[in-house]
């Protein structure tokens, strides 16, 4: 074993046996003979077979259960060339009809040319007793199928593409992968690899494709639609799409228009004309918005009689609670009991939680099966705390089936949820694909109550469902506007409403829960570190790790989440003798015992344990926890997220990031006792109102803005970021009251 650059070790040897292989993910466990010892190799490196010579790159680790393993990040393979290796390979059972005895006969008859015979002249195998022409053909076909993966890996390597990408491509395109990619290299831009056009262009040029060929234009159109979906748009106006694509590909707009027409005609893209504009969709997003509009249109017009005892039940509830509901709250309660679907919206301090609890109480007297859910784990936990009822994520409600390698839900239109009522909180965070899945799984008579704050950031995924619904005035809606007396005492609440109204927040005095502190650049960075580590713990008794959260508009810059995380980690959890950590090589992130961390992607497979409760699986984007153990030998960390204990192995560490500072986007659905929002170095593109509003409304007890007065002013005035391309509002109006799209 040799040490290589960039901290990777190299291991070379011959595969002795394959222990486990998942062909869908490329994950494999196998033993390699390295001189005088066998070493177990694990990783997502594609397929290998007994007798193959391998060169693996990675790290030698000590697994807590399986002992010493070589965790590979890349693996180069070659078929055996000498007779010893050939005998091992053929004796392994990798090819049908060839066992150890037949393998000896083949190697004896053909020597080092055995594999060439199997591949190119399989009829010669009939010289071996017991191999018929039919068996020879089967053996050859299976070998060519298996070896096809190796060919693809070699082809990818010529273009500096990783072996795992080759395996992924082979899984998608099958034995004809090479042929398919040579005919159209821009297939690499689509599912499942999603390479950029810039990445594929050099490959296409070497294959002598012209830059104006239709396949490249198709790839460019699809790439820009996918990229804009990543920015929240479900569609793009035709003119904007063709102009952007022509500029991106450095081609004429006319050539792009022609190819777009072809894609629309073939159904690879979809169009929705409204007024004088034609909106272009990827098919899955088009279906999502159409399905949502159709279902909401159906249930919003479905006749429902309110309970005859509604008014007396409402009065009785007021007596039990010891207070009277405000007029708008009563309107919302009546509406929830009189309709199959409704929206309840409002800002902080307007009584959304009180209203939801009233609706919940009345529903529970009528129905046995009421579900509460939210888009994220932290939002679901907060909903449980506020309602004193169990709440789950939407994913957990629908039950994720990850056995196929792609996210599927167990509950769908063929396996409906059993609930009579679904109350969905933090509706602004729900994207169109997830909401489509929830509506598809809901029973036809199910009541759906959507709760959210339309002034917060829209979903990270495509769409702006809550904004679109409210714009139509089709779905029954109540917007709570009255700030209740207790909430009026909070400057956090007052300033949140001022921001929404386009007014500057008040700076606050010593007795208030909101402050603005002027600093810029590195001075602002130092102030944030000082507030977190010294001033706020001393003045308020806050725990600097568990109670205080820094929320950044941006990742980059002196006051971006990346740099502030590094600085706060140094201040709050510095390195020390006997305190284990992972990472730090070549400037990589450090995960240290005691660090606050965040899960940055959905992982449906990772398991967790809970004291006195059943184990489970799944960690979700935005979940936070504390590192309670670090095993440097096994390259693993243990993280406590509330009452759930996770163990992250080496290949899962990329899912964790230090979370002393996080972006405001990542904080959606969460609340923290104290929040610091640095607004000193916010890029112009991120200076918008609902980003600032969302950051401020994450604070329960204390909020501090640090930065420039001018930047805050610009953010308060800018509402442009709320605008997303979507036709849901038009589709919803059409679903309820069919009208001419040209009117």
């Amino acid at each position: 074993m040799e040490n290589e650059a960039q901290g990777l070790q190299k291991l070379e040897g011959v595969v002795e046996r394959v222990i486990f292989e998942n062909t869908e993910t490329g994950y494999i466990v196998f033993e390699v003979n390295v001189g005088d010892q066998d070493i177990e190799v694990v990783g997502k490196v594609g397929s290998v077979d007994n007798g193959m010579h391998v060169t693996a790159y990675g790290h030698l680790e000590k697994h807590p259960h399986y002992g010493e393993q070589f965790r590979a990040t890349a693996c180069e393979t070659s078929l055996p060339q000498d007779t010893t290796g050939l005998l091992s390979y053929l004796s392994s059972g990798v090819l049908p009809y060839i066992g150890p005895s037949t393998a000896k006969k083949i190697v004896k008859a053909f020597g080092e040319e055995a594999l060439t015979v199997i591949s190119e002249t399989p009829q010669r195998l009939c010289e071996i007793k017991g191999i018929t022409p039919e068996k020879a053909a089967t053996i050859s076909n299976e070998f060519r199928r298996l070896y096809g993966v190796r060919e693809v890996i070699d082809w990818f390597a010529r273009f500096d593409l990783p072996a795992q990408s080759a395996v992924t491509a082979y899984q998608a395109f099958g034995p004809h992968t090479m042929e398919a990619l040579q005919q159209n290299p821009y297939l690499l831009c689509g599912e499942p690899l999603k390479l950029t056009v810039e990445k594929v262009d050099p490959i296409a040029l070497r294959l002598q494709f012209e830059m104006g060929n239709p396949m490249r234009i198709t790839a460019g159109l699809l790439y820009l639609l996918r990229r804009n979906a990543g920015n929240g748009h479900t569609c793009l106006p035709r003119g904007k799409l063709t102009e952007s694509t022509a500029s991106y590909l450095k081609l004429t707009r006319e050539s792009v228009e022609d190819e777009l027409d072809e894609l629309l005609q073939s159904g690879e893209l979809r169009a929705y004309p409204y007024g004088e504009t034609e909106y272009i969709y990827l098919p899955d997003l088009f279906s999502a918005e159409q399905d949502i509009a159709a279902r909401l249109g159906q249930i919003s017009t479905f006749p429902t009689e309110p309970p005859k005892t509604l008014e007396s039940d409402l009065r009785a509830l007021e007596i039990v609670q010891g207070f009277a509901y405000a007029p708008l709250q009563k309107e919302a309660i009546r509406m929830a009991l009189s309709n199959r679907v409704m929206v309840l919206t409002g800002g902080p301090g307007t009584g959304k939680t009180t209203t939801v609890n009233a609706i919940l109480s009345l529903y529970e007297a009528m129905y046995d099966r009421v579900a509460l859910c939210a888009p994220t784990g932290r939002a679901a936990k907060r909903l449980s705390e506020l309602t004193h009822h169990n709440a789950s994520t939407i994913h957990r409600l629908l039950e994720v089936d990850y056995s196929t390698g792609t996210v599927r839900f167990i509950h769908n239109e063929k396996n409906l949820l059993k609930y009579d009522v679904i109350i969905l909180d933090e509706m602004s965070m729900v994207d169109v694909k997830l909401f489509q899945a929830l509506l598809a799984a809901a029973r036809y008579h199910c009541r759906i109550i959507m709760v959210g704050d339309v002034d917060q950031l829209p979903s990270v995924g495509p769409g702006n469902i809550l904004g679109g619904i409210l714009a139509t005035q089709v779905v029954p809606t109540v917007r709570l506007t009255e700030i209740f007396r207790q909430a009026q005492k909070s400057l956090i609440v007052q300033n949140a409403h001022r921001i929404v109204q386009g007014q500057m927040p008040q700076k606050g005095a010593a007795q208030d829960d909101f402050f603005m502190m002027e600093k810029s650049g590195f001075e602002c960075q130092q102030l944030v570190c000082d507030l977190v580590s010294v001033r706020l713990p001393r003045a308020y008794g806050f725990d600097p790790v568990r109670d205080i959260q820094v929320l950044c508009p941006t990742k980059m810059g002196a006051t971006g989440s990346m740099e502030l995380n590094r600085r706060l980690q140094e201040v709050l959890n510095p390195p020390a003798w006997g305190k284990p950590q992972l990472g730090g090589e070549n400037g990589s992130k450090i995960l240290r015992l005691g660090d606050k961390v965040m899960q940055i992607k959905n992982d449906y497979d990772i398991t967790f344990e809970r004291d006195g409760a059943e184990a489970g699986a799944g960690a979700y984007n935005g979940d936070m926890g504390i590192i309670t153990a670090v095993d440097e030998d096994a390259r693993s960390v243990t993280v406590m997220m509330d009452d759930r204990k996770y163990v992250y192995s080496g290949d899962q560490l990329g899912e964790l990031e230090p979370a002393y500072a996080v972006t405001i986007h990542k904080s959606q659905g969460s609340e923290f006792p104290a929040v610091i929002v640095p607004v000193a170095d916010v890029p112009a593109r991120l200076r918008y109102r609902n980003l600032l509003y969302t950051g401020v409304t994450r604070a329960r007890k204390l909020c501090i803005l640090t930065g420039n007065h001018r930047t805050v002013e610009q953010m308060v005035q800018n509402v442009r970021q709320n605008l997303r391309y979507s036709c849901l509002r038009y589709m919803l109006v059409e679903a309820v009251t069919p009208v001419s799209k040209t009117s």
Side-chain angles (χ1 to χ4, degrees):
M1 209 164 356
E2 300 175 18
N3 289 319
E4 296 288 302
Q6 300 176 341
L8 290 180
Q9 296 174 294
K10 183 170 79 171
L11 179 146
E12 289 187 86
V14 177
V15 178
E16 288 289 305
R17 71 184 180 108
V18 177
I19 300 170
F20 170 81
E21 182 176 9
N22 185 329
T23 56
E24 291 183 347
T25 64
Y27 184 81
I28 191 168
V29 182
F30 58 96
E31 283 185 354
V32 175
N33 182 261
V34 184
D36 58 349
Q37 62 174 325
D38 289 342
I39 295 178
E40 192 172 278
V41 179
V42 301
K44 291 184 178 181
V45 293
S47 184
V48 302
D49 293 311
N50 292 2
M52 281 188 166
H53 184 274
V54 298
T55 304
Y57 300 89
H59 296 282
L60 198 61
E61 302 177 348
K62 187 176 180 181
H63 192 278
H65 301 299
Y66 303 115
E68 195 168 71
Q69 294 178 321
F70 188 86
R71 187 164 295 276
T73 57
C75 189
E76 300 167 357
T77 61
S78 59
L79 287 167
Q81 302 297 320
D82 59 51
T83 54
T84 303
L86 285 167
L87 183 60
S88 175
Y89 175 70
L90 293 173
S91 299
S92 68
V94 68
L95 297 176
Y97 305 119
I98 299 179
S101 176
T102 305
K104 285 180 184 178
K105 295 174 184 177
I106 292 173
V107 173
K108 184 177 180 180
F110 306 115
E112 294 179 355
E113 298 299 312
L115 297 183
T116 303
V117 170
I118 291 172
S119 177
E120 298 176 10
T121 54
Q123 63 275 12
R124 292 184 61 191
L125 291 174
C126 297
E127 299 172 18
I128 308 298
K129 187 177 179 181
I131 298 182
T132 64
E134 291 78 16
K135 288 181 178 179
T138 301
I139 292 167
S140 183
N141 288 336
E142 180 63 10
F143 174 75
R144 285 199 296 267
R145 185 188 71 80
L146 291 171
Y147 190 62
V149 178
R150 322 286 183 256
E151 285 187 310
V152 177
I153 290 172
D154 291 342
W155 191 81
F156 270 51
R158 294 208 306 269
F159 300 107
D160 297 321
L161 297 173
Q164 184 54 49
S165 295
V167 175
T168 303
Y170 192 84
Q171 290 165 355
F173 305 123
H176 302 292
T177 298
M178 293 294 303
E179 182 182 341
L181 293 179
Q182 285 167 346
Q183 291 178 358
N184 181 9
Y186 292 100
L187 290 173
L188 296 169
C189 297
E191 297 285 354
L193 292 178
K194 298 181 182 177
L195 300 186
T196 63
V197 175
E198 295 99 323
K199 189 77 172 177
V200 179
D201 274 344
I203 301 173
L205 284 170
R206 284 174 64 175
L207 296 173
Q208 310 214 335
F209 283 87
E210 295 181 354
M211 292 294 95
N213 74 83
M215 292 174 290
R216 182 171 182 262
I217 297 173
T218 295
L221 285 163
L222 295 174
Y223 168 73
L224 283 171
L225 284 169
R226 284 196 300 269
R227 189 177 74 179
N228 279 278
N231 293 329
H233 305 285
T234 59
C235 59
L236 285 179
R238 178 175 181 129
K240 185 176 181 66
L241 175 61
T242 54
E243 183 181 350
S244 299
T245 305
S247 175
Y248 175 58
L249 299 177
K250 297 181 174 56
L251 297 173
T252 65
R253 188 166 173 176
E254 289 73 24
S255 61
V256 175
E257 289 276 5
D258 291 343
E259 187 57 27
L260 176 56
D261 286 333
E262 290 288 332
L263 293 171
L264 290 170
Q265 193 163 351
S266 68
E268 289 184 67
L269 293 178
R270 304 294 298 275
Y272 185 85
Y274 192 88
E276 297 180 355
T277 305
E278 186 179 36
Y279 296 91
I280 309 300
Y281 279 85
L282 293 166
D284 60 331
L285 295 178
F286 182 79
S287 298
E289 292 206 331
Q290 277 211 320
D291 289 352
I292 291 169
R295 183 64 190 276
L296 290 182
Q298 284 175 342
I299 56 180
S300 65
T301 56
F302 192 85
T304 304
E305 290 291 325
K308 293 180 179 178
T309 59
L310 175 57
E311 295 303 319
S312 59
D313 292 341
L314 183 53
R315 285 194 298 274
L317 189 59
E318 288 180 320
I319 293 169
V320 171
Q321 298 291 345
F323 60 83
Y325 295 104
L328 281 175
Q329 290 180 309
K330 288 183 180 179
E331 184 183 338
I333 295 165
R334 293 185 183 109
M335 190 175 287
L337 275 293
S338 307
N339 294 274
R340 292 285 178 191
V341 62
M342 74 161 289
V343 173
L344 175 65
T345 186
T350 57
K352 285 200 304 294
T353 300
T354 303
T355 307
V356 168
N357 280 328
I359 293 169
L360 186 57
S361 294
L362 295 176
Y363 272 146
E364 286 188 318
M366 299 168 56
Y367 300 110
D368 296 325
R369 296 167 296 196
V370 180
L372 280 78
C373 61
T376 67
R378 291 187 69 85
K381 182 175 182 287
R382 181 166 157 263
L383 181 60
S384 293
E385 292 168 350
L386 293 172
T387 61
H388 306 291
H389 287 71
N390 288 332
S392 72
T393 63
I394 301 173
H395 285 87
R396 207 158 268 155
L397 189 73
L398 296 174
E399 295 185 62
V400 177
D401 175 13
Y402 208 66
S403 61
T404 61
T406 58
V407 180
R408 293 176 63 253
F409 294 115
I410 292 173
H411 292 288
N412 49 45
E413 62 276 6
K414 295 180 181 178
N415 182 25
L416 299 176
L417 293 164
K418 305 301 184 185
Y419 297 104
D420 302 302
V421 180
I422 297 173
I423 298 176
L424 173 54
D425 198 19
E426 296 289 352
M427 186 64 199
S428 63
M429 298 174 61
V430 182
D431 65 49
V432 291
K433 298 292 290 293
L434 188 57
F435 195 47
Q436 176 194 30
L438 180 63
L439 290 179
R443 296 199 292 179
Y444 185 75
H445 73 267
C446 180
R447 295 177 186 262
I448 298 176
I449 311 299
M450 294 171 276
V451 184
D453 185 350
V454 73
D455 296 311
Q456 286 189 29
L457 289 168
S459 60
V460 174
N464 184 6
I465 299 173
L466 186 58
I469 291 173
L470 294 180
T472 65
Q473 300 183 352
V474 165
V475 175
T477 299
V478 172
R479 181 161 189 163
L480 302 176
T481 55
E482 181 186 348
I483 303 175
F484 286 89
R485 185 176 300 173
Q486 188 173 355
Q488 288 176 359
K489 300 175 184 176
S490 167
L491 198 56
I492 295 173
V493 172
Q494 293 179 40
N495 279 336
H497 287 272
R498 289 178 66 85
I499 291 168
V500 166
Q501 295 161 7
Q503 302 173 22
M504 282 290 290
Q506 296 176 351
K507 288 189 176 182
Q511 72 277 10
D512 290 316
D513 57 5
F514 184 99
F515 301 95
M516 292 175 62
M517 306 175 76
E518 290 267 342
K519 291 289 181 183
S520 58
F522 286 100
E523 287 186 345
C524 183
Q525 181 192 93
Q526 184 55 51
L527 173 62
V528 170
C529 293
D530 192 39
L531 286 167
V532 174
S533 62
V534 179
R535 294 169 63 172
L536 297 188
R538 184 186 296 161
Y540 297 91
F542 290 133
D543 183 294
V545 175
R546 299 180 184 274
D547 295 336
I548 305 172
Q549 186 61 56
V550 179
L551 301 180
C552 306
T554 179
K555 285 185 176 181
M556 310 308 291
T559 55
S561 61
M562 293 178 68
E563 185 62 19
L564 276 172
N565 251 325
R566 188 185 66 79
R567 289 293 314 281
L568 287 166
Q569 187 182 46
E570 289 175 357
V571 173
L572 298 176
N573 191 27
W577 187 86
K579 184 186 288 185
Q581 66 178 50
L582 298 177
E585 305 90 359
N586 301 307
S588 64
K589 70 183 177 189
I590 295 170
L591 298 175
R592 184 175 294 140
L593 180 66
D595 273 341
K596 177 161 66 173
V597 291
M598 173 181 277
Q599 178 81 17
I600 60 169
K601 60 181 286 189
N602 290 338
D603 185 336
Y604 306 101
D605 285 340
I606 189 168
T607 57
F608 61 81
E609 297 176 354
R610 288 184 292 186
D611 288 339
E614 189 178 345
Y620 300 94
N621 191 355
D623 287 352
M624 285 187 178
I626 305 292
I627 296 178
T628 56
V630 176
D631 189 327
E632 293 175 303
D633 293 330
R635 290 185 62 81
S636 68
V637 302
T638 301
V639 180
M640 287 300 300
M641 296 183 181
D642 299 321
D643 62 340
R644 295 165 292 152
K645 182 172 78 173
Y646 296 86
V647 178
Y648 288 77
S649 59
D651 59 344
Q652 296 168 317
L653 296 180
E655 299 176 6
L656 292 175
E657 283 187 357
Y660 301 100
V662 302
T663 64
I664 294 173
H665 282 88
K666 288 286 189 184
S667 74
Q668 286 180 265
S670 302
E671 282 189 347
F672 310 94
V675 164
I676 301 171
V677 184
V679 288
D681 305 292
V682 183
R685 60 183 178 81
L686 293 175
R687 296 179 186 179
Y688 51 88
R689 183 185 297 172
N690 58 356
L691 187 67
L692 180 63
Y693 174 81
T694 302
V696 169
T697 54
R698 299 309 88 204
R700 282 203 306 268
K701 298 179 180 179
L702 180 69
C703 180
I704 299 177
L705 294 189
T706 64
N708 301 322
H709 182 276
R710 178 60 181 157
T711 302
V712 175
E713 191 173 47
Q714 288 173 341
M715 295 180 79
V716 167
Q717 297 303 321
N718 182 13
V719 297
R720 289 190 61 197
Q721 188 61 28
N722 289 318
L723 303 174
R724 289 185 169 188
Y725 289 115
S726 163
C727 295
L728 177 62
R729 58 191 295 187
Y730 311 136
M731 294 178 180
L732 186 54
V733 170
E734 196 173 63
V736 176
T737 314
V739 296
S740 172
K741 292 184 214 174
T742 57
S743 64

